[in-house]
DNA sequence: CGTAATCTTTGCGGATTTCGTATCAAGGGG
DNA sequence: CCCCTTGATACGAAATCCGCAAAGATTACG
C-alpha cells in the first residue's frame, strides 16, 4: 500500500487552497515547510525534518501521515518511463462537447493514463499516456479514448525525449 | 541534499533504455521490481523491498542508491501545486525554428519550469510551468520564454483542475 | 583453462530511526 | 465549568538504516 493507514478513499476532494470554514489555510506554513523537505528527499528522516521546521519528530510524523491520508501529497519514486522501459509516451489534447467531468473521470479510470488536467485554451483536457509500444498507444488513443461519448476531437504529441522533470516548486 | 552520496551532477545523461556497452539493459528485472515497490510507497523499508524482489536488505539499499545517483529515479513528495499554494499552473506548447536543444536547455534552467519534453506533433516542446500568480505567469511566458532566440510561437493552456496524477506504470 | 580485476551480494554490529502510547496544552461547544 | 477534539511532546521498545569486510559472480585477458 502506498500509505500506511486508512484506505486512500477518493483523492478528488473539493480541496481549495484554504479551508473555507475556520479560515485557516488547509496547509499552514509548517506543513508547507515539511513538504518542501520531502520534495528534496522523500526519505529524509522525521527528526531531520523536525529540526528544519522546528517541530518534534513525532509531530512531523503525524503531520506527514495526515498529509498522505488526505491525499495532499504522495511520496513515491518517479522515473522517466522512456528511460526505464521501451515504452511509448504521449500527451493528448482533447476537446469535449458537453460536460467535461464524465470524460475526465473515464480517462482517470484508465491505467495507461497517468495525468489528467482540465485546461483553459484550445484544449479542454490534457492527458498523459504511458504505453508498452506503438500498437498499445494506437489502441488506447483510437479505440478507447476517441470513442468516449463527448469526445469531439483529439490531438497527439508523442514524446521524443524528456528533458526535465522536477517537483521543487517550494524551493526558490 | 536530495541524494545521500556524490553530488547530483547533471541529470541529463544519454541514458538510453539499454547500456550500449556490455549489452545488458541499463535496468534489469530486479531493479525494475525495486522501482515498482517504491512507486507504491517511496518510504517502504529496504528489508520489505528485499523480501518482495528476492534480495538482501543491503543489496536493495545499494541498488536504490545507485539508481538515485544515476538519476534513473528520484524519491520525492509530489503534490498538486494548485492545491498546495494559490499558484497558477500552465502547460505551454512551443514551436521552434532551428535546433531544439538550446531552447530546451534554456527552459530547463528556469526554476518556474517543472517539466520539459520534446514531442512529435504540432508542437516541438511541451513545458509545464508553476507560478505564484497571474502576474508571475504572464511575466514568465511573455517576457522570458517568448523572447528566447529560436522560439517561433507559443500556445498556453492554463490549468483549471488536476484530476489525476500517478506514477504506477509498473503495476498493471 | 586459469587467474586477476571488477562488480554484486551477503552477513553482521552499532547507530539511528520509526512507532505506539501516554501525557499535556489549547480551543470549542453544550 | 466540564467534556471532547485536535495537535504537540516525551520516551522506551522494536525495527530500520548504514558502513564494512568477506564471499560470490562475472568479465577480461593471458
Amino acid at each position: 500500500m502506498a500509505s500506511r493507514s486508512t484506505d486512500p478513499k477518493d483523492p478528488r476532494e473539493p480541496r481549495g487552497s484554504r479551508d473555507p470554514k475556520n479560515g485557516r489555510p488547509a496547509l499552514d506554513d509548517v506543513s508547507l515547510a515539511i513538504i518542501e523537505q520531502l520534495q528534496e528527499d522523500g526519505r529524509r528522516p522525521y527528526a531531520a525534518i523536525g529540526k528544519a521546521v522546528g517541530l518534534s519528530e513525532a509531530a512531523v510524523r503525524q503531520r506527514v501521515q495526515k498529509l498522505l491520508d488526505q491525499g495532499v501529497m504522495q511520496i513515491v519514486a518517479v522515473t522517466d518511463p522512456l528511460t526505464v522501459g521501451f515504452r511509448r509516451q504521449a500527451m493528448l489534447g482533447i476537446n469535449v462537447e458537453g460536460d467535461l467531468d464524465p470524460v475526465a473521470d473515464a480517462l482517470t479510470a484508465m491505467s495507461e493514463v497517468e495525468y489528467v488536467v482540465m485546461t483553459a485554451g484550445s484544449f479542454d483536457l490534457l492527458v498523459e499516456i504511458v504505453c508498452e509500444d506503438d500498437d498499445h498507444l494506437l489502441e488506447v488513443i483510437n479505440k478507447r479514448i476517441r470513442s468516449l461519448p463527448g469526445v469531439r476531437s483529439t490531438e497527439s504529441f508523442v514524446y521524443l525525449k524528456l528533458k526535465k522533470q522536477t517537483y521543487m516548486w517550494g524551493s526558490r
Side-chain angles (χ1 to χ4, degrees), chain A:
Chain A
M1 315 60 187
S3 164
R4 292 195 188 94
S5 65
T6 60
D7 72 318
K9 303 195 62 172
D10 186 1
R12 289 181 299 292
E13 307 157 9
R15 52 190 196 208
S17 333
R18 316 170 157 282
D19 192 328
K21 201 65 63 58
N22 72 23
R24 74 187 150 193
L27 268 47
D28 59 19
D29 291 339
V30 178
S31 289
L32 257 302
I34 292 175
I35 294 177
E36 285 183 28
Q37 293 288 318
L38 290 170
Q39 283 179 324
E40 290 176 22
D41 178 2
R43 272 181 171 263
R44 185 163 298 170
Y46 295 129
I49 298 172
K51 211 165 309 175
V53 308
L55 227 55
S56 71
E57 175 268 337
V60 172
R61 178 155 39 96
Q62 288 183 168
R63 282 196 182 231
V64 168
Q65 192 56 55
K66 186 176 359 174
L67 290 171
L68 294 173
D69 291 345
Q70 289 174 161
V72 173
M73 74 170 178
Q74 37 183 336
I75 300 177
V76 293
V78 299
T79 66
D80 173 5
L82 260 36
T83 298
V84 170
F86 348 109
R87 297 171 150 78
R88 279 282 173 272
Q89 196 170 2
M91 185 73 76
L92 218 59
I94 303 181
N95 280 302
V96 176
E97 59 186 351
D99 193 1
L100 268 184
D101 277 302
V103 177
D105 289 338
L107 291 165
T108 295
M110 298 183 187
S111 65
E112 292 88 350
V113 172
E114 292 239 308
Y115 197 65
V116 177
V117 57
M118 298 177 172
T119 63
S122 63
F123 295 125
D124 297 313
L125 294 172
L126 288 176
V127 314
E128 191 180 64
I129 303 175
V130 177
C131 285
E132 305 290 337
D133 51 37
D134 288 324
D135 288 340
H136 189 191
L137 180 62
L138 194 63
E139 189 236 322
V140 170
I141 295 177
N142 281 340
K143 298 274 171 56
R144 313 239 305 268
I145 294 183
R146 288 202 157 124
S147 64
L148 283 178
V151 170
R152 192 197 303 272
S153 65
T154 71
E155 183 166 352
S156 305
F157 304 93
V158 174
Y159 283 17
L160 301 178
K161 182 174 178 59
L162 182 61
K163 295 282 289 187
K164 183 179 187 179
Q165 186 182 30
T166 60
Y167 304 88
M168 307 245 184
W169 46 260
S171 52
R172 62 170 188 251

